[in-house]
Amino acid sequence: MGNKQTIFSAQQLDAYQSYVPFQRLFSRYRDLAPQLVPLDYTHQPDVKLPYELIGSMPELKDNPFRQRIAEVFSEDGEGNMTLDDFLDMFSVLSEMAPRDLKAYYAFKIYDFNNDDFICKLDLVKTLNKLTRNELTEDEVRMVCEKVMDEADMDNDGRLSLEDFQHVIVRAPEFLRYRHTPQ
Amino acid sequence: MPPKRKKDVVIRSEDVGIEIDAQEDSGSEEEARRRARNRRAKPSPRRAKRPVSDDEDEEEEEEEPPRRKGRRGKAKVQDSDEEEEEEEKKGRKKKPVKASNRKKKAVKEESEEEEEESAEERGKNKKRGKAPSKKEKEEQNKVKKSGKDKGSEKNKRKNSGKFSRCSILSSGSGSDSDSLSEGEMELLKEEVEEKKKLITTLRNKPWRMKRRLQQLKEAQAFVEKFEGALGKGKGRKLYAYKVMMAKKLIKFKRDFENFKTACIPWERKIKEVESHFGSSVASYFIFLRWMYGLNLVLFGFMFGLVVMPEVLMGLPYGSIPRKTVPRPLQETAMDLSVLLDFGGFMKYSVLFYGYYNDERTIGVLQFRLPLSYLLVGVGIFGYSLMVVIRTMARNANEGGDGTDEGDFNFSWKMFTSWDYLIGNPETADNKFASITTSFKESIVDEQENQKDENIHLRRFLRVLANFFILCTLGGSGYLIYFVVKRSQEFAEIDQDNLSWFEKNEVEFVMSLLGLVCPPLFETIAELEEYHPRIALKWQLGRIFALFLGNLYTFLFALFDEVNAKLENEKSIKNATITAYNEYYSNYSSFYNTTDVPPLDIQPADAIRGPCWETAVGIEFVKLTVSDIQVTYLTILIGDFLRAVLVRFLNYCWCWDLEAGFPSYGEFDISGNVLGLIFNQGMIWMGAFYAPGLVGLNVLRLLSSMYYQCWAVMSCNVPHERVFKASRSNNFYMALLLLVLFLSLLPVVYTIMTLSPSFDCGPFSGREKMYEIVMETIEKDLPAFIGNIFTYATNPGLILPAVLLMVLALYYLNALSKGYQQANLDLKKKMQMTRDEEKNRRNNKDSTNQVMKDLDDLLPNRSLIPPPEEEEPPPPVAQKGSKSPKLKPGSAANGKGVNLQKEVSLAATNPRGVVNRPPGPRGGPPGNIRGPQPGPGRGRGRGGPSSKAIGFIRGC
């Protein structure tokens, strides 16, 4: 599994290789900032790519939640990613990833204020991101109320992961890779 | 999640809570190891601290000695192990000598870890919250996937005795022992399997990559070692291969889906329209596309079975009178104005009925063209009928009105509508638009649901509106009738005496009605305050009724014309026959011979009848063409020009044109749909008389798709209230079916009753068109088929058949009513279940363990203080259900232990009497198996569950 350019220890390669298309992802990672990412990874250098670079990847740049995604997957919570974070992100976003895992991360993504509950404010933020602020305030309020009404099983005014999963596993779209032609 | 899983999950979570809580720092791999470890033995220090029940203690004791010995043995071989470790990482070596070493090494490693952990565990117990939850989940996954579960556990238990002996044996004999005993082998195999499973499921775990890597490394090393020992080291390669194939398969599937989507014509265009204008406008385009497909098939029939054979195998142009332009018309036959009027060459071309020859068979293939013509003409109806009805049935299956999308309509929209595969700004824009649109659609629906006002007033208004509309319809119906009658009177007067208005009165009135009535209906419909989707249906129905008048006048005029032509034809036919007779008698009397040579007339000079079929065909084609023109011009002027004016004059106008009066046009769904439907009716009716019409229509639909898509996207604005179309286009389909039936009638009528022209078309010379079928049956098929046919057409058979069909209809109708009722009941039941569930959750007493566990996955749960009181597991349930089975092996392997706990947890009475103060949190988080509540119990749930706490506090 030798790579002519990059250097990893055999174990590293071994490990990475078995569940992510590692070479490709690493080159993607490195291409984002060739000057930052060293070729020699045997000593596990402490390299982080800033959010600006991560968010500009074609996979993310059109995504309304790109900042949240980067934040959730980065260890520092600010969107700056190490190689491991990066692989993590792709692993979860890949279609090989299981439902529960995706739901878990989706919950974190929608949980804007990181309080482990999706509250009304989170919903409003999500909705505004989804619709680019094109709904009126009344409509936003109404939709958020409806969502709360539908999903909040314990009536505590916020969605826990449990509520979220309960809703999401029933969604027809969930995990059905409806590919919008591009 | 399926219930079966649930149990396992519960089991696992318990286990995890107890054992793993504290292990995060020491690395995720411990998780996996722990299981293996559990199975072998427990470290003695732990054991001492654990509050365990007696019987379990005994088991532990059994385990103990072998383990210690194993350790001793390991110590011996430690050095060699370390060397091997290096080798193993590069490649697997399967020397049997090393096998035993490896095994021992593993055992050693584990036991060492165990000790570390047990030391660490207590300290960390309190801090960790995230770790347990994650691990728990991992565990769940693992267990879910593990196929072997309990069966293998039993095996293990059986083997455990053996195994301990074996380990004694092997440790005693030291590193020299070359072979593993059978029991060892099996145990190893199981462990290897487990590790493999861990590797497989590793990606399913919400861990940071770092942890995963560690975990993976551990598991892989283990598998490598022991697979080597077991002599089958291909596991990882096989696994890698499997993963690769799985990935390839998924990718292929996706590509294939993409390919399929790409194969659907105009899918992208329609999606684009849908994202900006809502599904209601898109439904028109979907309908248009469906229509295009249908027409393509019809065109295939017509072209392949009628037009092409005649062109390829029939007589060429100019060979017989019917294929030749008459001499007086030849001068102007190629003039553009004549051609545009479908006269001249057009009239005597393959496009129209008259061109076809009546020879029974043509060409070397003996193709029976007349028969084929009739069958295709009727078959088009048959096929269309079949397709329409099948589509309707399928749409009905797909269900309903589009309104009830389940209980989580908004939530799904909110959380799952973004497509993470979008990587293109334009697509993203469309997606934003479509999400916004779909939200608006749902909001409209919701507002409609919430609306509650004076029901009596609304009912009154609706009745009033319908009354107005009926008046309008009646009035316009009478107007049409009146005008048609007048035009018939006018027809008898000399055309020159009539004014221009009187000549075109019918057309004038018709288009006036078409112009005035739809907006009028729309205005009246505002009284009704229907949901826009339902309003659209009403509107469609009303305009449809209006247009029926159109159809009626058209057919009326046509039949007048046909009757006149038939009269005319009769006289011409008689004249022709007389002329022929004259010629024969003259010839024979002149030359005094009975051997008369056939009359030698140029085909262009022959006397010919009016050929009413071609005339009808031309009428239909003209109508279609003019319809196309009108539609396209309307779009060009009414939408495009208007949009241009509004857009550019707005800079220099007194008021805001865009927001104010003219504004931009909205897409007129009802008008366009009805236009399409009536156009299709024309095609069905006309196709028999003008085979080329189908081709023309295909072209029209094709161009109209692009043209209208463009017009909508560039000149129109979305409706004020974007509403969701019903998912099935069944209303459109129903209208189409009605039109199909209406257009079927005149065609079948002409085929069955009118006599075909004597000198043109495939049926010339026959009394009735359908005689061609009789002829074929008589001449070309064996006699018995003719007999069968005769019997089948016997009224004695037909009547019972009709009766049977009516009965079947009745029965099926009753059946569907029953199903509908059942459906409703089930829906109600579901709603009730949901409400109940919600209520139960309100009481903070979650019964769904899985959901609870998932809930506990949330990080930072551990920040919540540990539960003050533990729920004591009801011992009865424990003993009663599963523990007896599990007992023997519980000490030997972690699974058994956990299972037991599980049972107690899952037992129905979580609020048993609290008979014991909470144990010290620092207690060993290891396996608490006894019925007594241990400090680990709360954790066993998978971290302190806020729900449980809340509940307990509430009590």
Side-chain angles (χ1 to χ4, degrees), chain B residues 225-254:
Chain B
K225 262 181 262 165
F226 289 104
E227 287 215 315
L230 296 168
K232 44 159 191 167
K234 288 175 192 159
R236 228 187 70 214
K237 266 186 195 164
L238 193 70
Y239 165 71
Y241 179 73
K242 265 189 199 159
V243 167
M244 200 182 71
M245 287 319 283
K247 264 184 209 163
K248 287 247 162 77
L249 190 71
I250 287 180
K251 193 161 182 337
F252 173 77
K253 270 185 192 157
R254 198 180 68 190

Short mmCIF file of all heavy atoms in Angstrom, two decimals, chain B residues 225-254:
data_model
loop_
_atom_site.label_atom_id
_atom_site.label_comp_id
_atom_site.label_asym_id
_atom_site.label_seq_id
_atom_site.Cartn_x
_atom_site.Cartn_y
_atom_site.Cartn_z
N LYS B 225 -3.82 -12.30 14.43
CA LYS B 225 -3.15 -13.29 15.26
C LYS B 225 -3.90 -14.60 15.26
O LYS B 225 -3.35 -15.64 14.96
CB LYS B 225 -3.08 -12.77 16.70
CG LYS B 225 -1.78 -12.14 17.06
CD LYS B 225 -1.85 -11.69 18.50
CE LYS B 225 -2.17 -10.23 18.57
NZ LYS B 225 -2.60 -9.83 19.90
N PHE B 226 -5.16 -14.47 15.58
CA PHE B 226 -5.86 -15.71 15.85
C PHE B 226 -6.37 -16.39 14.59
O PHE B 226 -6.54 -17.58 14.57
CB PHE B 226 -6.97 -15.47 16.86
CG PHE B 226 -6.40 -15.20 18.19
CD1 PHE B 226 -6.36 -13.93 18.71
CD2 PHE B 226 -5.81 -16.23 18.89
CE1 PHE B 226 -5.79 -13.70 19.91
CE2 PHE B 226 -5.24 -15.99 20.12
CZ PHE B 226 -5.21 -14.72 20.64
N GLU B 227 -6.54 -15.62 13.63
CA GLU B 227 -6.85 -16.29 12.38
C GLU B 227 -5.65 -17.08 11.95
O GLU B 227 -5.75 -18.17 11.40
CB GLU B 227 -7.25 -15.28 11.31
CG GLU B 227 -8.61 -14.71 11.57
CD GLU B 227 -9.33 -14.44 10.30
OE1 GLU B 227 -8.70 -13.89 9.39
OE2 GLU B 227 -10.50 -14.80 10.23
N GLY B 228 -4.50 -16.48 12.21
CA GLY B 228 -3.27 -17.20 11.92
C GLY B 228 -3.26 -18.49 12.71
O GLY B 228 -2.99 -19.56 12.18
N ALA B 229 -3.63 -18.37 13.95
CA ALA B 229 -3.60 -19.54 14.80
C ALA B 229 -4.59 -20.58 14.31
O ALA B 229 -4.34 -21.77 14.40
CB ALA B 229 -3.95 -19.15 16.23
N LEU B 230 -5.66 -20.12 13.82
CA LEU B 230 -6.68 -21.06 13.37
C LEU B 230 -6.44 -21.51 11.95
O LEU B 230 -7.21 -22.27 11.39
CB LEU B 230 -8.06 -20.43 13.49
CG LEU B 230 -8.47 -20.13 14.92
CD1 LEU B 230 -9.69 -19.25 14.92
CD2 LEU B 230 -8.72 -21.41 15.67
N GLY B 231 -5.42 -20.96 11.36
CA GLY B 231 -5.06 -21.42 10.03
C GLY B 231 -5.93 -20.86 8.93
O GLY B 231 -6.01 -21.40 7.85
N LYS B 232 -6.60 -19.75 9.21
CA LYS B 232 -7.34 -19.14 8.09
C LYS B 232 -7.18 -17.63 8.19
O LYS B 232 -7.93 -16.94 8.82
CB LYS B 232 -8.80 -19.54 8.08
CG LYS B 232 -9.45 -19.50 9.46
CD LYS B 232 -10.94 -19.42 9.32
CE LYS B 232 -11.56 -19.10 10.66
NZ LYS B 232 -12.93 -18.70 10.58
N GLY B 233 -6.21 -17.17 7.56
CA GLY B 233 -5.84 -15.77 7.72
C GLY B 233 -6.41 -14.86 6.67
O GLY B 233 -6.02 -13.71 6.54
N LYS B 234 -7.32 -15.37 5.93
CA LYS B 234 -7.79 -14.53 4.83
C LYS B 234 -8.87 -13.57 5.26
O LYS B 234 -9.43 -12.86 4.45
CB LYS B 234 -8.34 -15.42 3.72
CG LYS B 234 -7.23 -16.14 2.99
CD LYS B 234 -7.82 -17.09 1.97
CE LYS B 234 -6.76 -18.02 1.43
NZ LYS B 234 -7.35 -19.23 0.87
N GLY B 235 -9.19 -13.62 6.52
CA GLY B 235 -10.34 -12.86 6.98
C GLY B 235 -10.34 -11.42 6.55
O GLY B 235 -11.33 -10.91 6.02
N ARG B 236 -9.22 -10.79 6.75
CA ARG B 236 -9.24 -9.37 6.47
C ARG B 236 -9.34 -9.07 4.99
O ARG B 236 -10.02 -8.15 4.57
CB ARG B 236 -8.03 -8.69 7.08
CG ARG B 236 -8.44 -7.46 7.85
CD ARG B 236 -7.25 -6.69 8.30
NE ARG B 236 -6.61 -6.07 7.17
CZ ARG B 236 -5.30 -5.90 7.10
NH1 ARG B 236 -4.52 -6.34 8.04
NH2 ARG B 236 -4.77 -5.32 6.06
N LYS B 237 -8.60 -9.88 4.27
CA LYS B 237 -8.67 -9.66 2.82
C LYS B 237 -10.09 -9.85 2.34
O LYS B 237 -10.62 -9.08 1.55
CB LYS B 237 -7.75 -10.64 2.10
CG LYS B 237 -6.38 -10.06 1.83
CD LYS B 237 -5.58 -11.03 1.00
CE LYS B 237 -4.13 -10.65 1.01
NZ LYS B 237 -3.27 -11.75 0.54
N LEU B 238 -10.66 -10.90 2.84
CA LEU B 238 -12.03 -11.19 2.44
C LEU B 238 -12.92 -10.03 2.84
O LEU B 238 -13.76 -9.56 2.07
CB LEU B 238 -12.49 -12.47 3.13
CG LEU B 238 -13.80 -13.03 2.55
CD1 LEU B 238 -13.54 -13.57 1.16
CD2 LEU B 238 -14.35 -14.11 3.47
N TYR B 239 -12.67 -9.56 4.04
CA TYR B 239 -13.49 -8.46 4.53
C TYR B 239 -13.29 -7.22 3.66
O TYR B 239 -14.26 -6.56 3.26
CB TYR B 239 -13.13 -8.15 5.98
CG TYR B 239 -13.66 -6.84 6.43
CD1 TYR B 239 -15.02 -6.68 6.63
CD2 TYR B 239 -12.81 -5.75 6.60
CE1 TYR B 239 -15.52 -5.47 7.00
CE2 TYR B 239 -13.31 -4.54 6.97
CZ TYR B 239 -14.65 -4.40 7.17
OH TYR B 239 -15.16 -3.18 7.52
N ALA B 240 -12.02 -6.94 3.39
CA ALA B 240 -11.74 -5.78 2.56
C ALA B 240 -12.43 -5.92 1.21
O ALA B 240 -13.02 -4.97 0.68
CB ALA B 240 -10.24 -5.62 2.36
N TYR B 241 -12.36 -7.12 0.72
CA TYR B 241 -12.99 -7.37 -0.58
C TYR B 241 -14.50 -7.15 -0.49
O TYR B 241 -15.10 -6.49 -1.34
CB TYR B 241 -12.67 -8.81 -0.98
CG TYR B 241 -13.28 -9.21 -2.29
CD1 TYR B 241 -12.75 -8.71 -3.49
CD2 TYR B 241 -14.36 -10.08 -2.34
CE1 TYR B 241 -13.31 -9.08 -4.69
CE2 TYR B 241 -14.92 -10.44 -3.54
CZ TYR B 241 -14.39 -9.95 -4.72
OH TYR B 241 -14.95 -10.29 -5.90
N LYS B 242 -15.05 -7.66 0.61
CA LYS B 242 -16.49 -7.51 0.77
C LYS B 242 -16.87 -6.04 0.82
O LYS B 242 -17.83 -5.60 0.19
CB LYS B 242 -16.94 -8.19 2.07
CG LYS B 242 -17.42 -9.59 1.87
CD LYS B 242 -18.02 -10.05 3.20
CE LYS B 242 -18.11 -11.56 3.25
NZ LYS B 242 -18.20 -12.02 4.64
N VAL B 243 -16.10 -5.31 1.62
CA VAL B 243 -16.41 -3.89 1.75
C VAL B 243 -16.31 -3.20 0.40
O VAL B 243 -17.17 -2.41 0.00
CB VAL B 243 -15.45 -3.23 2.75
CG1 VAL B 243 -15.55 -1.72 2.65
CG2 VAL B 243 -15.76 -3.69 4.14
N MET B 244 -15.26 -3.58 -0.30
CA MET B 244 -15.08 -2.96 -1.61
C MET B 244 -16.28 -3.25 -2.50
O MET B 244 -16.82 -2.37 -3.17
CB MET B 244 -13.81 -3.49 -2.25
CG MET B 244 -13.28 -2.62 -3.33
SD MET B 244 -11.82 -3.34 -4.05
CE MET B 244 -12.50 -4.71 -4.95
N MET B 245 -16.68 -4.52 -2.48
CA MET B 245 -17.79 -4.89 -3.35
C MET B 245 -19.06 -4.16 -2.92
O MET B 245 -19.83 -3.69 -3.75
CB MET B 245 -18.03 -6.40 -3.29
CG MET B 245 -16.98 -7.21 -4.01
SD MET B 245 -16.47 -6.48 -5.56
CE MET B 245 -17.85 -6.93 -6.58
N ALA B 246 -19.23 -4.06 -1.61
CA ALA B 246 -20.44 -3.39 -1.13
C ALA B 246 -20.44 -1.94 -1.61
O ALA B 246 -21.46 -1.42 -2.06
CB ALA B 246 -20.49 -3.44 0.39
N LYS B 247 -19.27 -1.32 -1.51
CA LYS B 247 -19.18 0.06 -1.96
C LYS B 247 -19.47 0.17 -3.43
O LYS B 247 -20.23 1.03 -3.88
CB LYS B 247 -17.77 0.57 -1.70
CG LYS B 247 -17.63 1.33 -0.42
CD LYS B 247 -16.23 1.87 -0.33
CE LYS B 247 -15.79 1.99 1.10
NZ LYS B 247 -14.35 2.12 1.22
N LYS B 248 -18.84 -0.74 -4.16
CA LYS B 248 -19.04 -0.71 -5.61
C LYS B 248 -20.51 -0.87 -5.94
O LYS B 248 -21.05 -0.21 -6.82
CB LYS B 248 -18.24 -1.85 -6.27
CG LYS B 248 -16.76 -1.61 -6.28
CD LYS B 248 -16.27 -1.42 -7.71
CE LYS B 248 -14.92 -0.75 -7.76
NZ LYS B 248 -13.81 -1.64 -7.44
N LEU B 249 -21.13 -1.78 -5.18
CA LEU B 249 -22.54 -2.06 -5.46
C LEU B 249 -23.38 -0.82 -5.21
O LEU B 249 -24.22 -0.43 -6.02
CB LEU B 249 -23.01 -3.20 -4.55
CG LEU B 249 -24.39 -3.75 -4.92
CD1 LEU B 249 -24.30 -4.51 -6.22
CD2 LEU B 249 -24.92 -4.63 -3.81
N ILE B 250 -23.10 -0.19 -4.08
CA ILE B 250 -23.88 1.00 -3.75
C ILE B 250 -23.65 2.08 -4.79
O ILE B 250 -24.58 2.72 -5.28
CB ILE B 250 -23.50 1.52 -2.35
CG1 ILE B 250 -24.07 0.58 -1.30
CG2 ILE B 250 -24.00 2.92 -2.15
CD1 ILE B 250 -23.75 0.98 0.10
N LYS B 251 -22.41 2.21 -5.16
CA LYS B 251 -22.10 3.24 -6.15
C LYS B 251 -22.78 2.93 -7.48
O LYS B 251 -23.37 3.78 -8.12
CB LYS B 251 -20.59 3.31 -6.36
CG LYS B 251 -20.16 4.53 -7.11
CD LYS B 251 -18.69 4.79 -6.88
CE LYS B 251 -18.19 6.04 -7.57
NZ LYS B 251 -18.94 6.51 -8.69
N PHE B 252 -22.71 1.65 -7.80
CA PHE B 252 -23.35 1.25 -9.05
C PHE B 252 -24.84 1.52 -8.99
O PHE B 252 -25.43 2.03 -9.93
CB PHE B 252 -23.09 -0.24 -9.30
CG PHE B 252 -23.84 -0.77 -10.47
CD1 PHE B 252 -23.42 -0.50 -11.76
CD2 PHE B 252 -25.00 -1.51 -10.29
CE1 PHE B 252 -24.12 -0.98 -12.83
CE2 PHE B 252 -25.71 -1.99 -11.36
CZ PHE B 252 -25.26 -1.73 -12.64
N LYS B 253 -25.41 1.19 -7.83
CA LYS B 253 -26.85 1.41 -7.71
C LYS B 253 -27.19 2.88 -7.89
O LYS B 253 -28.16 3.23 -8.54
CB LYS B 253 -27.33 0.94 -6.33
CG LYS B 253 -27.76 -0.50 -6.32
CD LYS B 253 -28.35 -0.85 -4.96
CE LYS B 253 -28.51 -2.33 -4.81
NZ LYS B 253 -28.53 -2.74 -3.41
N ARG B 254 -26.35 3.70 -7.26
CA ARG B 254 -26.64 5.12 -7.37
C ARG B 254 -26.48 5.61 -8.80
O ARG B 254 -27.31 6.35 -9.32
CB ARG B 254 -25.72 5.91 -6.45
CG ARG B 254 -26.24 7.29 -6.18
CD ARG B 254 -25.33 8.05 -5.29
NE ARG B 254 -24.08 8.34 -5.95
CZ ARG B 254 -23.02 8.84 -5.33
NH1 ARG B 254 -23.07 9.10 -4.07
NH2 ARG B 254 -21.92 9.09 -5.99
#
